[in-house]
Amino acid sequence: MNTKKLIEDDLKHIWHPCTQMKDHEILPIIPIKRGQGAYLYDFDDNRYIDGVSSWWVNLFGHCNPYINQKIKEQLDTLEHVIFAGFTHEPIIKLSKRLCALAPKGLEKCFYADNGSSAIEVALKMSFQYHKNRGQKRPLFVSLENSYHGETIGALAVGDVKLYKEVFDDILLQTIQAPVPKDQSEESAIKAADGLEQIFKEKADQISAFIIEPLIQCSGGMNMYHPLYITLARKLCDHYDVHLIADEIAVGFGRTGKMFACEYADVSPDFMTLSKGLTGGYLPLSVVLTTQKIYDAFYCDYSEFKAFLHSHSYTGNPLACSAANATLDIFENESILEKNKEKIALIGSKLEQFKTLPNVQKVRQTGMIAAVELDVYPIDFRVNLKIFKYAFQKGVILRPLGNVVYFMPPYVITCKEIETMMDVAYEAIVSLNRL
């Protein structure tokens, strides 16, 4: 296949996400031919370490033989069926497993297609829960610097101006609470005090408080102490406000535990999952919630309290088979235990970045690490420079502004981790020469 022709045809017909398409006048788009393990290969057979897990979704490598096999087996049996009034074995199996893995009390699963859709489901479900009980609570609270997706409801509870500001006029009314500024207990306590002040003033108007537990990924990989989650849970209980845990990016072992909420020993009222749910293979998301919330919608049809939300591909059997295969790998290969060595290596490799004069700070939670650059005067395209440098060295990095982060698939080897992080180090050193 002619790479040049592929690029021409792509740019003629396709509008890519989170992209200023004019950039591709100077930065060629990159056709990828195949993937294997931690690597992606272009049409010239150059290979690149996927340091960002293809937007944080890939857990066990590209073209994982076991996941491939399970999807192929399902393909010969049932590809899809309407999920209103019908069900199938893969989703029943998956739901039982997710409820067993999730924090205590999360016993019901509602499926959607992607992370943003799962957030929409949780917001609507929380609001209607209160309405079914005779209360109108039109407000939602989220953290400053948060990101929960780019559909209208999800965007409204986020706080990254780059995505949100242009749409302010058409968004839901939300309140942003102070976010812990670092990983200290003191910062967690101070932020929780700010949240309580909001609850004191408006709790009877608030349906839910939504957080990304431990790590605000799209918000520059800001990380905070588990104590904040503990305090937030107590405040939500006291003021009768739902707690939504958005574990779309941090779930399935990214923080070192299966779910980030486990660090605080907290059970939210809603937990949203997607990304790694299918190992990076197919779109699928789920909202886990409690029996108490489920019961508020359970009634005779004539009461009109049912939750009327649907997606055409809800509970797709192929996606559920990929998800079950992903959970099989977690169970059969002791992934969380094996990742401890890689987490320690990432931590040790971070030390070299602390010596660089243009590095402001480094941070890590589990398999996610970040290096924040001190860029003065502000170079708002520093991310592009680092991407280009790393790509030429065979590593895919996609910095968030001035934050270089690492979120590789779990199949990455220790040697590949060293290569990935050494290339990032060289890229940062090179900035003064670019």
Side-chain angles (χ1 to χ4, degrees):
M1 180 65 71
N2 186 304
T3 299
K4 183 179 178 182
K5 183 66 164 59
L6 283 173
I7 294 171
E8 289 175 354
D9 287 348
D10 179 287
L11 295 177
K12 183 177 179 181
H13 299 290
I14 298 174
W15 192 343
H16 288 262
C18 285
T19 300
Q20 173 47 259
M21 295 301 294
K22 186 175 173 60
D23 281 351
H24 288 307
E25 292 181 7
I26 58 172
L27 182 70
I29 200 159
I30 303 147
I32 294 297
K33 183 178 182 180
R34 63 187 179 92
Q36 186 66 52
Y39 290 93
L40 292 167
Y41 295 78
D42 65 19
F43 279 77
D44 296 318
D45 218 32
N46 299 307
R47 70 177 190 173
Y48 309 93
I49 295 173
D50 188 356
V52 298
S53 297
S54 289
W55 244 341
W56 318 343
V57 300
N58 192 286
L59 300 185
F60 300 123
H62 298 280
C63 289
N64 180 283
Y66 183 74
I67 301 176
N68 285 1
Q69 173 194 340
K70 291 302 179 180
I71 293 174
K72 289 174 182 176
E73 289 174 4
Q74 182 60 43
L75 188 61
D76 289 332
T77 305
L78 177 67
E79 83 300 340
H80 187 62
V81 61
I82 180 175
F83 203 57
F86 295 85
T87 191
H88 53 84
E89 187 177 1
I91 202 166
I92 295 170
K93 180 180 179 181
L94 176 61
S95 301
K96 289 171 66 177
R97 299 173 81 178
L98 289 175
C99 290
L101 286 170
K104 185 178 180 181
L106 296 175
E107 301 173 355
K108 299 292 184 180
C109 298
F110 191 100
Y111 289 87
D113 298 340
N114 57 76
S116 294
S117 296
I119 297 297
E120 300 280 346
V121 167
L123 296 177
K124 289 174 65 178
M125 203 175 273
S126 175
F127 175 80
Q128 189 177 342
Y129 167 88
H130 294 294
K131 195 165 186 178
N132 283 358
R133 296 170 68 225
Q135 301 175 2
K136 280 192 176 182
R137 298 195 179 193
L139 299 181
F140 292 92
V141 179
S142 58
L143 287 172
E144 294 171 349
N145 192 55
S146 60
Y147 174 90
H148 298 284
E150 292 166 40
T151 51
I152 292 297
L155 197 61
V157 292
D159 190 47
V160 178
K161 289 184 178 179
L162 179 65
Y163 302 102
K164 180 177 181 177
E165 197 168 32
V166 68
F167 299 107
D168 274 347
D169 294 337
I170 60 172
L171 297 180
L172 302 173
Q173 186 179 0
T174 63
I175 302 170
Q176 274 65 56
V179 63
K181 301 300 183 184
D182 54 44
Q183 292 173 281
S184 69
E185 290 189 359
E186 293 80 7
S187 184
I189 293 169
K190 183 178 179 181
D193 289 342
L195 177 64
E196 182 167 25
Q197 189 59 43
I198 293 170
F199 284 176
K200 281 181 178 178
E201 295 174 4
K202 298 188 175 183
D204 61 347
Q205 302 174 58
I206 297 168
S207 283
F209 173 49
I210 182 170
I211 60 170
E212 301 156 275
L214 298 186
I215 309 172
Q216 294 182 308
C217 291
S218 291
M221 296 293 166
N222 179 52
M223 302 180 185
Y224 59 87
H225 197 279
L227 176 61
Y228 182 79
I229 306 172
T230 302
L231 297 174
R233 174 72 276 181
K234 290 179 180 178
L235 289 171
C236 287
D237 287 341
H238 181 74
Y239 289 95
D240 191 27
V241 172
H242 289 146
L243 177 63
I244 302 173
D246 175 356
E247 296 236 10
I248 290 164
V250 299
F252 298 105
R254 288 293 185 188
T255 65
K257 294 183 182 292
M258 184 61 81
F259 302 115
C261 284
E262 293 178 38
Y263 283 94
D265 194 23
V266 155
S267 292
D269 300 292
F270 301 90
M271 185 167 74
T272 60
L273 302 172
S274 190
K275 290 194 181 291
L277 176 58
T278 66
Y281 269 70
L282 291 162
L284 184 69
S285 65
V286 62
V287 179
L288 286 94
T289 192
T290 66
Q291 184 71 41
K292 178 181 178 181
I293 290 171
Y294 175 86
D295 287 344
F297 295 80
Y298 195 90
C299 61
D300 290 336
Y301 185 89
S302 59
E303 294 183 47
F304 297 105
K305 290 184 177 181
F307 187 61
L308 300 180
H309 184 105
S310 63
H311 296 269
S312 300
Y313 283 93
T314 293
N316 176 262
L318 297 174
C320 291
S321 294
N324 277 313
T326 297
L327 295 184
D328 288 345
I329 295 172
F330 272 110
E331 291 178 8
N332 298 333
E333 299 184 22
S334 303
I335 297 300
L336 297 181
E337 185 65 29
K338 288 180 179 178
N339 278 354
K340 290 180 179 178
E341 178 186 2
K342 296 172 185 178
I343 290 168
L345 175 59
I346 291 170
S348 67
K349 294 295 291 183
L350 279 177
E351 291 298 314
Q352 63 183 333
F353 293 91
K354 295 178 181 179
T355 66
L356 298 178
N358 55 344
V359 170
Q360 188 172 350
K361 58 182 177 179
V362 303
R363 47 191 177 267
Q364 179 188 13
T365 300
M367 288 290 288
I368 303 175
V371 177
E372 185 171 343
L373 304 182
D374 187 3
V375 186
Y376 291 103
I378 294 297
D379 180 356
F380 72 101
R381 301 311 301 273
V382 67
N383 54 342
L384 188 61
K385 294 176 181 178
I386 291 173
F387 168 80
K388 290 170 68 175
Y389 183 97
F391 191 77
Q392 291 167 358
K393 299 289 185 176
V395 177
I396 297 174
L397 299 175
R398 200 171 189 270
L400 294 159
N402 66 326
V403 177
V404 182
Y405 72 88
F406 310 97
M407 199 187 294
Y410 303 156
V411 295
I412 194 169
T413 65
C414 289
K415 182 178 180 180
E416 289 161 354
I417 287 173
E418 291 180 346
T419 298
M420 173 184 70
M421 298 188 73
D422 286 344
V423 166
Y425 178 87
E426 295 165 8
I428 293 171
V429 169
S430 75
L431 287 174
N432 293 329
R433 303 195 300 267
L434 292 175

